[in-house]
Amino acid sequence: MARQTERRIWNKAAECMDREQLRELQSERLRAVVQREYENVPMYRERMQAKGLTPFDIRTVDDLRYLPFTEKTDLRDQYPYGLFAAPRQEIVRIQGSSGTTGKPIVAGYTARDIENWSEMVARAVTAAGGTNESIIQVTYGYGLFTGGLGLHQGASKVGAQVIPMSSGNTARQLMMMEDLGTNILCCTPSYALFLGETLRENGVNPKERLQMKAGIFGAEPWTEEMRQRIEELFEIDALDIYGLTEIAGPGVAFECLEKHGMHVNEDHVIPEIIDPVTEEPLPYGSKGELVFTTITKEGMPMLRYRTHDICQLDATPCACGRTFVRMARITGRTDDMLIIRGVNVFPSQIESVLVNVKGVAPHYMLVVDRVNATDQLEVQVEVTEEAFSDTVSGMERLTREIQEKLKSVIGLSARIKLVAPKTIPRSEGKAKRIVDNRKL
Ligand code: ADP
Ligand code: ZN
């Protein structure tokens, strides 16, 4: 049940659009984006040509299925500018996220892209009860990561008073929340849990000392149990927000106070669910891999981007009045990407670091756990016979070297555990390199 009773919609004309009309709009925008990609991005032109397609073959949303897919590896191969579809002078922003190996993936935005992204987030903020009266604390990291600036721009568009805290420093976060009278907190759900627990440990009764009404939490998977716990700790409505750098950032989809699925901003992106093996589109209600086509982006539009996130779409009407389909919580991935403290981590990135360190063998195991609501990553790696007979300080040096190199590639500190040669279990076929002990 929602604690807040007043329900607002930021852009009724768009968010409550008749679905037939929406389809028309999507088809029109799809035609334009396909044309744009064909003319400006060699990779897309070549892929369409290989399928015997010209832009004129894509007339409506039903023709989406003929278009080629885009994968994260395409962003890596085309890094940094190969997928940009606007001239350099029109790009006003770069954001980035971790790629599958050492290089990040980057996305370019035109001024209009930033405007549209802010619009998507403004809808999410409004759905959480945010107005120009609200005080909004943004605790997502600022920088290349889309979380901080994404929520910041959306909250600013609504006219709220924004506190750009960025991540970390729990005591300061809680102090500002109380002193400034924060109404809406934006951060990862696991950090929200940690903040809430710390608040209670400090003996703070939120009813007496805080002005909190809602939270907008995303960037990593969470559960209904976590929602309940966070809602009790802060006495708020805790809402989910979804997004990815390749498509825009947070705000691709957002929850309303009904709390049963996130409305996808369908006037800006078209979602599909496909069977990850046959790659065939599946009807609403089926579980499968989520795929997005951006239909308003100029800087770096994406045709059928495979998110590898597993979920379902629901097109039945929502009591809030919005007509956009709702995506369910993400229940898993079709690849081996881990999300640790909100950061995407691929085992291949870690491997790319380890193979370049003298003294260790490319046999490793990743152990992930959640301690005090904070994700911990331990990298267990075998040392070579020579390194194994080295001095203690030699081993310490090796540990530090791996730690620093890993941090510069994945952007996270990990605990490094050097283990004796031949102690990591060898497997036939696909190696099992991940032990995830987090109980979500
Ligand atoms: P973000 O800033 O949203 O983390 P990234 O591009 O770094 O963007 O990562 C995108 C990935 O993060 C998604 O593909 C998905 O796996 C995960 N993610 C983002 N939001 C959510 C959410 N609300 N629930 C579950 N997973 C999420
Ligand atoms: Zn709704």
Side-chain angles (χ1 to χ4, degrees):
M1 274 297 289
R3 286 178 163 78
Q4 299 178 68
T5 47
E6 212 173 329
R7 286 166 160 68
R8 290 192 185 81
I9 294 176
W10 174 251
N11 183 346
K12 258 202 176 115
E15 296 175 72
C16 304
M17 197 185 293
D18 167 74
R19 287 199 67 78
E20 262 316 302
Q21 201 189 332
L22 175 65
R23 233 184 96 82
E24 289 292 312
L25 179 71
Q26 286 180 324
S27 297
E28 180 191 319
R29 291 182 168 175
L30 177 65
R31 288 193 289 272
V33 79
V34 169
Q35 183 79 37
R36 186 179 190 90
E37 298 281 45
Y38 194 86
E39 281 170 10
N40 298 294
V41 181
M43 183 191 90
Y44 281 122
R45 184 168 52 245
E46 284 155 23
R47 285 193 185 169
M48 284 180 63
Q49 283 169 346
K51 287 176 150 244
L53 288 174
T54 73
F56 302 105
D57 296 314
I58 309 300
R59 303 312 299 162
T60 71
V61 179
D62 288 332
D63 301 327
L64 250 187
R65 61 194 306 136
Y66 304 119
L67 288 170
F69 288 107
T70 311
E71 287 276 5
K72 203 185 263 286
T73 48
D74 294 324
L75 279 99
R76 186 187 67 201
D77 297 343
Q78 300 292 326
Y79 174 87
Y81 296 130
L83 293 173
F84 283 26
R88 183 71 54 94
Q89 316 89 276
E90 286 179 22
I91 301 291
V92 299
R93 175 87 61 79
I94 296 291
Q95 301 278 171
S97 177
S98 39
T100 46
T101 58
K103 291 265 193 219
I105 58 115
V106 292
Y109 303 72
T110 64
R112 222 181 100 197
D113 293 339
I114 296 287
E115 187 50 39
N116 286 333
W117 178 22
S118 308
E119 161 77 22
M120 293 193 262
V121 179
R123 296 175 185 176
V125 169
T126 307
T131 66
N132 59 0
E133 305 269 336
S134 308
I135 300 174
I136 302 186
Q137 184 162 342
V138 180
T139 299
Y140 288 109
Y142 280 66
L144 270 185
F145 173 62
T146 54
L149 281 163
L151 265 299
H152 185 106
Q153 293 162 174
S156 298
K157 192 171 174 77
V158 169
Q161 175 182 315
V162 187
I163 318 172
M165 293 296 290
S166 199
S167 51
N169 204 336
T170 303
R172 197 183 172 84
Q173 298 281 356
L174 292 174
M175 181 184 79
M176 296 295 260
M177 182 182 287
E178 183 172 352
D179 294 352
L180 297 175
T182 299
N183 308 124
I184 299 180
L185 171 69
C186 310
C187 63
T188 58
S190 54
Y191 193 59
L193 197 59
F194 183 63
L195 280 173
E197 280 170 355
T198 310
L199 181 87
R200 295 292 182 155
E201 277 162 23
N202 295 347
V204 175
N205 177 348
K207 267 224 169 66
E208 287 165 7
R209 289 176 42 189
L210 302 183
Q211 312 293 324
M212 285 276 287
K213 288 196 168 68
I216 303 176
F217 306 126
E220 65 184 11
W222 50 313
T223 57
E224 281 307 308
E225 290 71 34
M226 274 178 81
R227 180 190 330 252
Q228 278 207 343
R229 181 87 185 114
I230 297 169
E231 291 195 331
E232 284 161 13
L233 287 167
F234 285 107
E235 305 202 16
I236 56 168
D237 288 307
L239 304 176
D240 202 354
I241 187 165
Y242 171 90
L244 59 168
T245 311
E246 294 85 338
I247 301 305
V252 169
F254 61 95
E255 242 179 355
C256 63
L257 288 167
E258 296 300 318
K259 301 179 193 170
H260 61 176
M262 295 175 271
H263 290 285
V264 178
N265 276 307
E266 287 182 286
D267 53 338
H268 293 286
V269 299
I270 306 177
E272 293 175 87
I273 293 288
I274 62 161
D275 179 318
V277 180
T278 66
E279 300 184 336
E280 285 302 315
L282 300 173
Y284 287 141
S286 324
K287 202 169 207 177
E289 182 182 328
L290 187 57
V291 169
F292 285 111
T293 299
T294 67
I295 49 174
T296 54
K297 258 174 97 179
E298 301 174 331
M300 198 182 80
M302 289 277 115
L303 301 183
R304 305 190 84 196
Y305 182 74
R306 294 188 62 167
T307 65
H308 292 277
D309 289 322
I310 299 169
C311 82
Q312 276 159 285
L313 294 176
D314 182 354
T316 60
C318 181
C320 74
R322 291 176 181 82
T323 49
F324 293 158
V325 295
R326 281 164 291 143
M327 55 178 272
R329 281 188 189 284
I330 305 290
T331 54
R333 304 238 348 139
T334 62
D335 61 10
D336 55 5
M337 185 179 94
L338 289 161
I339 301 182
I340 300 174
R341 276 173 260 153
V343 177
N344 305 345
V345 177
F346 291 89
S348 52
Q349 292 175 300
I350 295 178
E351 192 166 314
S352 74
V353 168
L354 297 179
V355 294
N356 288 311
V357 175
K358 208 172 159 287
V360 299
H363 295 290
Y364 63 94
M365 186 79 103
L366 309 180
V367 184
V368 193
D369 213 337
R370 190 163 276 179
V371 183
N372 291 331
T374 308
D375 295 336
Q376 314 274 359
L377 168 65
E378 179 178 275
V379 179
Q380 301 178 355
V381 58
E382 278 182 16
V383 294
T384 58
E385 297 284 354
E386 289 147 57
F388 193 55
S389 52
D390 202 349
T391 56
V392 173
S393 68
M395 296 283 257
E396 277 168 1
R397 218 178 310 121
L398 190 56
T399 304
R400 258 198 318 276
E401 182 189 343
I402 300 173
Q403 226 152 21
E404 278 159 21
K405 285 191 171 156
L406 259 185
K407 171 115 203 219
S408 76
V409 168
I410 62 173
L412 282 178
S413 306
R415 184 152 18 115
I416 309 297
K417 189 169 163 192
L418 299 179
V419 300
K422 306 210 167 62
T423 48
I424 301 242
R426 304 292 193 262
S427 61
E428 290 158 28
K430 205 171 150 59
K432 182 163 172 28
R433 302 195 186 283
I434 301 166
V435 179
D436 197 339
N437 292 323
R438 291 175 293 187
K439 289 187 186 56
L440 284 177

PDB file of all heavy atoms in Angstrom, residues 236-264:
ATOM      1  N   ILE A 236       8.442   5.383   4.323  1.00  0.00           N
ATOM      2  CA  ILE A 236       8.278   6.034   3.018  1.00  0.00           C
ATOM      3  C   ILE A 236       7.679   5.054   1.997  1.00  0.00           C
ATOM      4  O   ILE A 236       7.499   3.875   2.302  1.00  0.00           O
ATOM      5  CB  ILE A 236       9.649   6.487   2.437  1.00  0.00           C
ATOM      6  CG1 ILE A 236      10.610   5.278   2.346  1.00  0.00           C
ATOM      7  CG2 ILE A 236      10.245   7.609   3.245  1.00  0.00           C
ATOM      8  CD1 ILE A 236      11.868   5.553   1.536  1.00  0.00           C
ATOM      9  N   ASP A 237       7.426   5.570   0.801  1.00  0.00           N
ATOM     10  CA  ASP A 237       7.131   4.713  -0.349  1.00  0.00           C
ATOM     11  C   ASP A 237       8.450   4.500  -1.082  1.00  0.00           C
ATOM     12  O   ASP A 237       9.095   5.469  -1.488  1.00  0.00           O
ATOM     13  CB  ASP A 237       6.143   5.398  -1.299  1.00  0.00           C
ATOM     14  CG  ASP A 237       4.744   5.446  -0.723  1.00  0.00           C
ATOM     15  OD1 ASP A 237       4.240   4.375  -0.329  1.00  0.00           O
ATOM     16  OD2 ASP A 237       4.157   6.551  -0.655  1.00  0.00           O
ATOM     17  N   ALA A 238       8.834   3.249  -1.265  1.00  0.00           N
ATOM     18  CA  ALA A 238      10.096   2.947  -1.953  1.00  0.00           C
ATOM     19  C   ALA A 238       9.781   2.461  -3.365  1.00  0.00           C
ATOM     20  O   ALA A 238       9.086   1.457  -3.548  1.00  0.00           O
ATOM     21  CB  ALA A 238      10.861   1.873  -1.188  1.00  0.00           C
ATOM     22  N   LEU A 239      10.249   3.207  -4.361  1.00  0.00           N
ATOM     23  CA  LEU A 239       9.912   2.898  -5.749  1.00  0.00           C
ATOM     24  C   LEU A 239      11.141   2.531  -6.569  1.00  0.00           C
ATOM     25  O   LEU A 239      12.236   3.038  -6.337  1.00  0.00           O
ATOM     26  CB  LEU A 239       9.211   4.101  -6.385  1.00  0.00           C
ATOM     27  CG  LEU A 239       7.959   4.579  -5.648  1.00  0.00           C
ATOM     28  CD1 LEU A 239       7.402   5.837  -6.291  1.00  0.00           C
ATOM     29  CD2 LEU A 239       6.881   3.490  -5.626  1.00  0.00           C
ATOM     30  N   ASP A 240      10.894   1.681  -7.546  1.00  0.00           N
ATOM     31  CA  ASP A 240      11.964   1.151  -8.390  1.00  0.00           C
ATOM     32  C   ASP A 240      12.148   2.036  -9.632  1.00  0.00           C
ATOM     33  O   ASP A 240      11.179   2.587 -10.157  1.00  0.00           O
ATOM     34  CB  ASP A 240      11.539  -0.270  -8.829  1.00  0.00           C
ATOM     35  CG  ASP A 240      12.715  -1.141  -9.249  1.00  0.00           C
ATOM     36  OD1 ASP A 240      13.843  -0.634  -9.317  1.00  0.00           O
ATOM     37  OD2 ASP A 240      12.476  -2.345  -9.506  1.00  0.00           O
ATOM     38  N   ILE A 241      13.371   2.161 -10.074  1.00  0.00           N
ATOM     39  CA  ILE A 241      13.655   2.869 -11.330  1.00  0.00           C
ATOM     40  C   ILE A 241      14.692   2.056 -12.090  1.00  0.00           C
ATOM     41  O   ILE A 241      15.607   1.494 -11.497  1.00  0.00           O
ATOM     42  CB  ILE A 241      14.128   4.325 -11.073  1.00  0.00           C
ATOM     43  CG1 ILE A 241      14.255   5.112 -12.389  1.00  0.00           C
ATOM     44  CG2 ILE A 241      15.455   4.371 -10.317  1.00  0.00           C
ATOM     45  CD1 ILE A 241      14.360   6.624 -12.196  1.00  0.00           C
ATOM     46  N   TYR A 242      14.505   1.971 -13.401  1.00  0.00           N
ATOM     47  CA  TYR A 242      15.385   1.131 -14.214  1.00  0.00           C
ATOM     48  C   TYR A 242      15.981   1.942 -15.359  1.00  0.00           C
ATOM     49  O   TYR A 242      15.329   2.849 -15.892  1.00  0.00           O
ATOM     50  CB  TYR A 242      14.578  -0.037 -14.794  1.00  0.00           C
ATOM     51  CG  TYR A 242      15.293  -0.871 -15.834  1.00  0.00           C
ATOM     52  CD1 TYR A 242      16.052  -1.982 -15.479  1.00  0.00           C
ATOM     53  CD2 TYR A 242      15.211  -0.525 -17.188  1.00  0.00           C
ATOM     54  CE1 TYR A 242      16.706  -2.739 -16.434  1.00  0.00           C
ATOM     55  CE2 TYR A 242      15.868  -1.277 -18.152  1.00  0.00           C
ATOM     56  CZ  TYR A 242      16.620  -2.384 -17.768  1.00  0.00           C
ATOM     57  OH  TYR A 242      17.270  -3.126 -18.727  1.00  0.00           O
ATOM     58  N   GLY A 243      17.182   1.586 -15.722  1.00  0.00           N
ATOM     59  CA  GLY A 243      17.764   2.220 -16.893  1.00  0.00           C
ATOM     60  C   GLY A 243      19.120   1.656 -17.195  1.00  0.00           C
ATOM     61  O   GLY A 243      19.652   0.846 -16.435  1.00  0.00           O
ATOM     62  N   LEU A 244      19.671   2.067 -18.311  1.00  0.00           N
ATOM     63  CA  LEU A 244      21.017   1.640 -18.682  1.00  0.00           C
ATOM     64  C   LEU A 244      21.636   2.699 -19.567  1.00  0.00           C
ATOM     65  O   LEU A 244      20.936   3.401 -20.308  1.00  0.00           O
ATOM     66  CB  LEU A 244      21.023   0.249 -19.333  1.00  0.00           C
ATOM     67  CG  LEU A 244      20.244  -0.013 -20.599  1.00  0.00           C
ATOM     68  CD1 LEU A 244      20.681  -1.364 -21.170  1.00  0.00           C
ATOM     69  CD2 LEU A 244      18.755  -0.098 -20.311  1.00  0.00           C
ATOM     70  N   THR A 245      22.938   2.810 -19.457  1.00  0.00           N
ATOM     71  CA  THR A 245      23.677   3.857 -20.149  1.00  0.00           C
ATOM     72  C   THR A 245      23.452   3.813 -21.657  1.00  0.00           C
ATOM     73  O   THR A 245      23.308   4.849 -22.293  1.00  0.00           O
ATOM     74  CB  THR A 245      25.179   3.686 -19.856  1.00  0.00           C
ATOM     75  OG1 THR A 245      25.327   3.534 -18.446  1.00  0.00           O
ATOM     76  CG2 THR A 245      25.983   4.869 -20.331  1.00  0.00           C
ATOM     77  N   GLU A 246      23.424   2.628 -22.212  1.00  0.00           N
ATOM     78  CA  GLU A 246      23.299   2.473 -23.660  1.00  0.00           C
ATOM     79  C   GLU A 246      22.005   3.109 -24.170  1.00  0.00           C
ATOM     80  O   GLU A 246      21.936   3.576 -25.307  1.00  0.00           O
ATOM     81  CB  GLU A 246      23.303   0.990 -24.050  1.00  0.00           C
ATOM     82  CG  GLU A 246      24.614   0.271 -23.773  1.00  0.00           C
ATOM     83  CD  GLU A 246      24.738  -0.254 -22.339  1.00  0.00           C
ATOM     84  OE1 GLU A 246      24.031   0.261 -21.435  1.00  0.00           O
ATOM     85  OE2 GLU A 246      25.543  -1.162 -22.111  1.00  0.00           O
ATOM     86  N   ILE A 247      20.960   3.095 -23.345  1.00  0.00           N
ATOM     87  CA  ILE A 247      19.647   3.585 -23.784  1.00  0.00           C
ATOM     88  C   ILE A 247      19.421   5.033 -23.350  1.00  0.00           C
ATOM     89  O   ILE A 247      18.753   5.791 -24.027  1.00  0.00           O
ATOM     90  CB  ILE A 247      18.529   2.655 -23.253  1.00  0.00           C
ATOM     91  CG1 ILE A 247      18.750   1.228 -23.776  1.00  0.00           C
ATOM     92  CG2 ILE A 247      17.140   3.143 -23.636  1.00  0.00           C
ATOM     93  CD1 ILE A 247      18.859   1.108 -25.291  1.00  0.00           C
ATOM     94  N   ALA A 248      19.958   5.444 -22.233  1.00  0.00           N
ATOM     95  CA  ALA A 248      19.869   6.825 -21.747  1.00  0.00           C
ATOM     96  C   ALA A 248      20.533   6.901 -20.384  1.00  0.00           C
ATOM     97  O   ALA A 248      21.456   7.678 -20.152  1.00  0.00           O
ATOM     98  CB  ALA A 248      18.420   7.306 -21.618  1.00  0.00           C
ATOM     99  N   GLY A 249      20.065   6.044 -19.468  1.00  0.00           N
ATOM    100  CA  GLY A 249      20.468   6.076 -18.072  1.00  0.00           C
ATOM    101  C   GLY A 249      19.220   5.765 -17.275  1.00  0.00           C
ATOM    102  O   GLY A 249      18.227   5.294 -17.846  1.00  0.00           O
ATOM    103  N   PRO A 250      19.192   6.036 -15.977  1.00  0.00           N
ATOM    104  CA  PRO A 250      17.991   5.750 -15.186  1.00  0.00           C
ATOM    105  C   PRO A 250      16.797   6.519 -15.742  1.00  0.00           C
ATOM    106  O   PRO A 250      16.964   7.611 -16.278  1.00  0.00           O
ATOM    107  CB  PRO A 250      18.365   6.238 -13.786  1.00  0.00           C
ATOM    108  CG  PRO A 250      19.473   7.217 -13.984  1.00  0.00           C
ATOM    109  CD  PRO A 250      20.232   6.714 -15.173  1.00  0.00           C
ATOM    110  N   GLY A 251      15.608   5.918 -15.622  1.00  0.00           N
ATOM    111  CA  GLY A 251      14.415   6.603 -16.093  1.00  0.00           C
ATOM    112  C   GLY A 251      13.856   5.997 -17.366  1.00  0.00           C
ATOM    113  O   GLY A 251      12.818   6.416 -17.855  1.00  0.00           O
ATOM    114  N   VAL A 252      14.514   4.983 -17.893  1.00  0.00           N
ATOM    115  CA  VAL A 252      13.950   4.262 -19.043  1.00  0.00           C
ATOM    116  C   VAL A 252      12.583   3.711 -18.624  1.00  0.00           C
ATOM    117  O   VAL A 252      11.618   3.763 -19.370  1.00  0.00           O
ATOM    118  CB  VAL A 252      14.902   3.131 -19.502  1.00  0.00           C
ATOM    119  CG1 VAL A 252      14.233   2.216 -20.507  1.00  0.00           C
ATOM    120  CG2 VAL A 252      16.191   3.725 -20.073  1.00  0.00           C
ATOM    121  N   ALA A 253      12.518   3.247 -17.372  1.00  0.00           N
ATOM    122  CA  ALA A 253      11.243   2.788 -16.802  1.00  0.00           C
ATOM    123  C   ALA A 253      11.211   3.138 -15.320  1.00  0.00           C
ATOM    124  O   ALA A 253      12.259   3.205 -14.675  1.00  0.00           O
ATOM    125  CB  ALA A 253      11.088   1.286 -16.994  1.00  0.00           C
ATOM    126  N   PHE A 254      10.011   3.382 -14.797  1.00  0.00           N
ATOM    127  CA  PHE A 254       9.887   3.813 -13.392  1.00  0.00           C
ATOM    128  C   PHE A 254       8.584   3.320 -12.805  1.00  0.00           C
ATOM    129  O   PHE A 254       7.592   3.142 -13.510  1.00  0.00           O
ATOM    130  CB  PHE A 254       9.935   5.349 -13.311  1.00  0.00           C
ATOM    131  CG  PHE A 254       8.794   5.992 -14.070  1.00  0.00           C
ATOM    132  CD1 PHE A 254       7.619   6.348 -13.419  1.00  0.00           C
ATOM    133  CD2 PHE A 254       8.885   6.206 -15.437  1.00  0.00           C
ATOM    134  CE1 PHE A 254       6.546   6.915 -14.121  1.00  0.00           C
ATOM    135  CE2 PHE A 254       7.821   6.768 -16.147  1.00  0.00           C
ATOM    136  CZ  PHE A 254       6.657   7.118 -15.487  1.00  0.00           C
ATOM    137  N   GLU A 255       8.579   3.152 -11.510  1.00  0.00           N
ATOM    138  CA  GLU A 255       7.371   2.692 -10.841  1.00  0.00           C
ATOM    139  C   GLU A 255       6.475   3.843 -10.426  1.00  0.00           C
ATOM    140  O   GLU A 255       6.949   4.924 -10.076  1.00  0.00           O
ATOM    141  CB  GLU A 255       7.773   1.929  -9.575  1.00  0.00           C
ATOM    142  CG  GLU A 255       7.343   0.496  -9.609  1.00  0.00           C
ATOM    143  CD  GLU A 255       7.759  -0.261  -8.372  1.00  0.00           C
ATOM    144  OE1 GLU A 255       8.458   0.266  -7.498  1.00  0.00           O
ATOM    145  OE2 GLU A 255       7.371  -1.423  -8.294  1.00  0.00           O
ATOM    146  N   CYS A 256       5.173   3.582 -10.444  1.00  0.00           N
ATOM    147  CA  CYS A 256       4.214   4.531  -9.897  1.00  0.00           C
ATOM    148  C   CYS A 256       3.854   4.028  -8.492  1.00  0.00           C
ATOM    149  O   CYS A 256       4.322   2.977  -8.074  1.00  0.00           O
ATOM    150  CB  CYS A 256       2.979   4.606 -10.783  1.00  0.00           C
ATOM    151  SG  CYS A 256       2.082   3.035 -10.887  1.00  0.00           S
ATOM    152  N   LEU A 257       2.996   4.767  -7.798  1.00  0.00           N
ATOM    153  CA  LEU A 257       2.681   4.380  -6.419  1.00  0.00           C
ATOM    154  C   LEU A 257       1.873   3.084  -6.319  1.00  0.00           C
ATOM    155  O   LEU A 257       1.670   2.562  -5.228  1.00  0.00           O
ATOM    156  CB  LEU A 257       1.955   5.531  -5.703  1.00  0.00           C
ATOM    157  CG  LEU A 257       2.856   6.728  -5.355  1.00  0.00           C
ATOM    158  CD1 LEU A 257       2.029   7.941  -4.945  1.00  0.00           C
ATOM    159  CD2 LEU A 257       3.850   6.367  -4.252  1.00  0.00           C
ATOM    160  N   GLU A 258       1.413   2.556  -7.444  1.00  0.00           N
ATOM    161  CA  GLU A 258       0.730   1.257  -7.413  1.00  0.00           C
ATOM    162  C   GLU A 258       1.724   0.144  -7.065  1.00  0.00           C
ATOM    163  O   GLU A 258       1.341  -0.930  -6.629  1.00  0.00           O
ATOM    164  CB  GLU A 258       0.078   0.944  -8.761  1.00  0.00           C
ATOM    165  CG  GLU A 258      -1.048   1.897  -9.163  1.00  0.00           C
ATOM    166  CD  GLU A 258      -2.180   1.904  -8.162  1.00  0.00           C
ATOM    167  OE1 GLU A 258      -2.560   0.817  -7.687  1.00  0.00           O
ATOM    168  OE2 GLU A 258      -2.677   3.015  -7.836  1.00  0.00           O
ATOM    169  N   LYS A 259       2.988   0.404  -7.341  1.00  0.00           N
ATOM    170  CA  LYS A 259       4.071  -0.537  -7.009  1.00  0.00           C
ATOM    171  C   LYS A 259       3.888  -1.924  -7.604  1.00  0.00           C
ATOM    172  O   LYS A 259       4.057  -2.914  -6.910  1.00  0.00           O
ATOM    173  CB  LYS A 259       4.237  -0.652  -5.493  1.00  0.00           C
ATOM    174  CG  LYS A 259       4.556   0.669  -4.803  1.00  0.00           C
ATOM    175  CD  LYS A 259       4.689   0.482  -3.300  1.00  0.00           C
ATOM    176  CE  LYS A 259       4.696   1.847  -2.610  1.00  0.00           C
ATOM    177  NZ  LYS A 259       4.589   1.729  -1.164  1.00  0.00           N
ATOM    178  N   HIS A 260       3.452  -1.987  -8.834  1.00  0.00           N
ATOM    179  CA  HIS A 260       3.498  -3.304  -9.460  1.00  0.00           C
ATOM    180  C   HIS A 260       4.018  -3.222 -10.893  1.00  0.00           C
ATOM    181  O   HIS A 260       3.288  -3.386 -11.845  1.00  0.00           O
ATOM    182  CB  HIS A 260       2.190  -4.100  -9.332  1.00  0.00           C
ATOM    183  CG  HIS A 260       1.019  -3.433  -9.975  1.00  0.00           C
ATOM    184  ND1 HIS A 260      -0.221  -4.013 -10.048  1.00  0.00           N
ATOM    185  CD2 HIS A 260       0.901  -2.236 -10.570  1.00  0.00           C
ATOM    186  CE1 HIS A 260      -1.036  -3.187 -10.658  1.00  0.00           C
ATOM    187  NE2 HIS A 260      -0.393  -2.114 -10.982  1.00  0.00           N
ATOM    188  N   GLY A 261       5.277  -2.942 -10.983  1.00  0.00           N
ATOM    189  CA  GLY A 261       5.934  -2.880 -12.280  1.00  0.00           C
ATOM    190  C   GLY A 261       6.295  -1.459 -12.657  1.00  0.00           C
ATOM    191  O   GLY A 261       5.705  -0.497 -12.168  1.00  0.00           O
ATOM    192  N   MET A 262       7.301  -1.345 -13.527  1.00  0.00           N
ATOM    193  CA  MET A 262       7.803  -0.029 -13.916  1.00  0.00           C
ATOM    194  C   MET A 262       7.283   0.350 -15.300  1.00  0.00           C
ATOM    195  O   MET A 262       7.460  -0.394 -16.267  1.00  0.00           O
ATOM    196  CB  MET A 262       9.330  -0.057 -13.934  1.00  0.00           C
ATOM    197  CG  MET A 262       9.929  -0.283 -12.554  1.00  0.00           C
ATOM    198  SD  MET A 262      11.721  -0.457 -12.609  1.00  0.00           S
ATOM    199  CE  MET A 262      11.921  -2.212 -12.867  1.00  0.00           C
ATOM    200  N   HIS A 263       6.644   1.512 -15.407  1.00  0.00           N
ATOM    201  CA  HIS A 263       6.157   2.002 -16.695  1.00  0.00           C
ATOM    202  C   HIS A 263       7.345   2.321 -17.596  1.00  0.00           C
ATOM    203  O   HIS A 263       8.231   3.094 -17.208  1.00  0.00           O
ATOM    204  CB  HIS A 263       5.311   3.258 -16.500  1.00  0.00           C
ATOM    205  CG  HIS A 263       3.985   2.992 -15.838  1.00  0.00           C
ATOM    206  ND1 HIS A 263       2.942   2.403 -16.505  1.00  0.00           N
ATOM    207  CD2 HIS A 263       3.546   3.212 -14.574  1.00  0.00           C
ATOM    208  CE1 HIS A 263       1.904   2.290 -15.685  1.00  0.00           C
ATOM    209  NE2 HIS A 263       2.244   2.767 -14.496  1.00  0.00           N
ATOM    210  N   VAL A 264       7.343   1.764 -18.780  1.00  0.00           N
ATOM    211  CA  VAL A 264       8.425   2.021 -19.735  1.00  0.00           C
ATOM    212  C   VAL A 264       8.065   3.285 -20.519  1.00  0.00           C
ATOM    213  O   VAL A 264       6.943   3.388 -21.025  1.00  0.00           O
ATOM    214  CB  VAL A 264       8.582   0.830 -20.711  1.00  0.00           C
ATOM    215  CG1 VAL A 264       9.675   1.125 -21.741  1.00  0.00           C
ATOM    216  CG2 VAL A 264       8.890  -0.460 -19.948  1.00  0.00           C
TER     217      VAL A 264
END
